Amino acid sequence: MINFYYEYAAWSVNTDNGNGVIITELSQLRYFLEAARLQHMTKAAAKLHIAQPALTQAIHRLEAELEVPLFVPRGRGVVLTEYGMFLKERAQDILQSVDALRDEVSSMSAQENGIIRMNVLAASYIVTESVIAYKQSKNHINFQLGQDEDGLCDISISTKLFFQRPVCSEQYVFTERIFLAVPVSGHYGARKSIRLEDMRAEEFIALAGSRQFRLICDKLCAHAGFEPHVVFQSDNPTAVKNLIAAGVGVGFWPEYSWGELNNPDVALLEIEEPVCRRDIIISRYDNKADNTEVIRYYNFMVEFFKRLKGE
C-alpha cells in the first residue's frame, strides 16, 4: 500500500512506497487528477493549458517514482489501474487540504498586516504617546506591545549607552542625556551639576534590575568607581520620581523618555563626569507579507521622537 502525508512548507507531498521516501510536486498530482477525471491525455492537456507530451512525461515521472502503473490504454483514452484509483482518492483529499491551507494562510496574512507588534524595552512613555497620536488618525491599525527581548516583532525599541551604537540602515537612533534627580530639600538641591563619583555615599532609587535603563545606570556608576547603594527599586518611573521627591534617595532620570519631571520637589543635575547619555534605538523588521503599515507607523514614530528635540 502507498502511504501519503503532507509537507506544506515545500508545497509538495512526501510519498513512501516502502522502498524509500520520494518527493512529488503538487503540480504532478494536479495533472494526474485531471487526466484521471477526463480519462484522455490530449483533452486533459488542453484543459490544463500544457502540451500533451509534457502531461504524458509528468504522468510517467509520477509512475516511475511510485514504481506502479497508474493508467492503461483503452481505445483512444486511458483508464485507471487499481493503483491509480487509490491515488485519485487520496490525492483529492491532499489537494483539498493544501488549497484550504493556502486560503487560511492568506486570511492570516491579511489579519497580521493590520497588527503592529512592538517590543518596548525602553522609552515606554514616548512610545505610548506616539501610539495614541497615531491611532487618532489610523483607527484600523491595532498594536500589540510587549517586553520580550527575544520575541518576534515588527518594531523594537531598546536602549544602549551612546558609545555602543550599532550601525544599521533599518534603525533610527535617538540620543538623550541622563541627569541625576535629587530632592530639592537636600544638600544637592541648589546645585546645577555634579560629578557622579561624588554620589558614591548616597542612597539610590532605581528601576528594577532587569530593565535596560537600570543596567546602563549601573555601568555609569561602575565607570565612576562605585556600585550604587540601591534602597528601593521599582518597575514604575513614577514611583522612582515620587520617592526621590520624598527625600528617600537620589536617582537617574533620562532627558526625554520618561516625560517631563513636573515636580517642584525634585531637581535635575547635569552629570559632569562621566558623559552620561544613552541611545534609544528604534528598529524595524520585515516580518510580514505586506509591511506597508509597519513602515508607515515606523516613519511616524521616528518623526514623533524627532519633534521632542525640535529636529
Side-chain angles (χ1 to χ4, degrees):
M1 180 172 289
I2 306 172
N3 298 317
F4 294 90
Y5 58 98
Y6 315 127
E7 178 153 335
Y8 298 121
W11 293 105
S12 60
V13 179
N14 285 342
T15 60
D16 188 346
N17 63 1
N19 296 322
V21 177
I22 54 180
I23 304 295
T24 300
E25 295 180 359
L26 288 178
S27 60
Q28 285 183 304
L29 290 182
R30 297 189 189 279
Y31 293 170
F32 163 77
L33 285 176
E34 191 62 28
R37 185 178 70 86
L38 296 176
Q39 296 190 1
H40 198 285
M41 291 296 177
T42 302
K43 292 180 180 179
K47 189 71 173 178
L48 294 165
H49 304 290
I50 62 173
Q52 188 270 330
L55 174 60
T56 302
Q57 292 173 8
I59 297 299
H60 287 336
R61 286 197 302 271
L62 184 57
E63 291 177 324
E65 289 179 348
L66 298 175
E67 298 183 5
V68 293
L70 299 174
F71 295 97
V72 294
R74 179 68 58 84
R76 294 184 177 181
V78 293
V79 294
L80 290 167
T81 66
E82 180 181 358
Y83 304 110
M85 288 187 287
F86 174 81
L87 179 59
K88 178 183 177 183
E89 180 180 348
R90 299 299 299 274
Q92 286 175 333
D93 293 338
I94 290 171
L95 291 178
Q96 286 175 358
S97 297
V98 170
D99 289 339
L101 178 62
R102 183 185 293 112
D103 292 340
E104 290 171 5
V105 171
S106 178
S107 176
M108 178 181 175
S109 175
Q111 293 178 0
E112 281 293 301
N113 291 339
I115 299 174
I116 298 178
R117 303 181 190 278
M118 300 176 63
N119 191 12
V120 185
L121 301 173
S124 58
Y125 174 83
I126 302 178
V127 173
T128 301
E129 291 296 308
S130 73
V131 168
I132 293 172
Y134 194 74
K135 285 286 289 181
Q136 290 176 349
S137 59
K138 300 287 182 179
N139 293 326
H140 63 287
I141 298 300
N142 294 318
F143 291 84
Q144 290 188 5
L145 277 60
Q147 292 184 329
D148 182 2
E149 192 162 356
D150 298 320
L152 183 66
C153 63
D154 303 306
I155 297 175
S156 71
I157 301 90
S158 59
T159 182
K160 295 183 182 296
L161 286 169
F162 76 101
F163 53 79
Q164 296 176 308
R165 179 177 302 177
V167 178
C168 179
S169 60
E170 296 291 331
Q171 294 178 327
Y172 168 71
V173 179
F174 175 90
T175 302
E176 65 179 352
R177 292 178 294 175
I178 298 175
F179 293 96
L180 193 70
V182 300
V184 171
S185 59
H187 51 281
Y188 297 111
R191 300 187 59 166
K192 299 298 183 183
S193 63
I194 193 77
R195 291 172 59 89
L196 189 54
E197 65 178 358
D198 296 336
M199 308 300 292
R200 65 174 62 246
E202 295 296 326
E203 295 180 334
F204 278 78
I205 312 298
L207 287 181
S210 61
R211 300 291 288 270
Q212 290 185 341
F213 183 65
R214 167 67 181 277
L215 299 178
I216 288 175
C217 294
D218 286 350
K219 288 181 180 179
L220 292 173
C221 290
H223 185 75
F226 69 95
E227 179 179 346
H229 177 210
V230 177
V231 295
F232 185 89
Q233 55 185 358
S234 170
D235 282 333
N236 190 335
T238 301
V240 173
K241 177 173 61 176
N242 291 340
L243 286 166
I244 294 171
V248 176
V250 301
F252 292 98
W253 191 270
E255 185 175 10
Y256 298 105
S257 56
W258 284 7
E260 295 183 10
L261 187 58
N262 290 333
N263 192 319
D265 297 322
V266 180
L268 294 181
L269 307 184
E270 185 172 354
I271 300 174
E272 301 170 3
E273 170 67 29
V275 175
C276 291
R277 297 178 186 172
R278 71 159 175 172
D279 286 339
I280 303 296
I281 304 167
I282 306 174
S283 304
R284 182 179 64 81
Y285 305 95
D286 293 330
N287 293 324
K288 298 183 184 298
D290 183 356
N291 289 284
T292 302
E293 293 295 346
V294 175
I295 294 172
R296 184 175 289 123
Y297 172 68
Y298 171 83
N299 292 334
F300 177 88
M301 184 163 58
V302 167
E303 291 302 317
F304 194 91
F305 270 76
K306 286 181 176 180
R307 285 197 297 272
L308 291 175
K309 301 178 72 172
E311 296 180 3

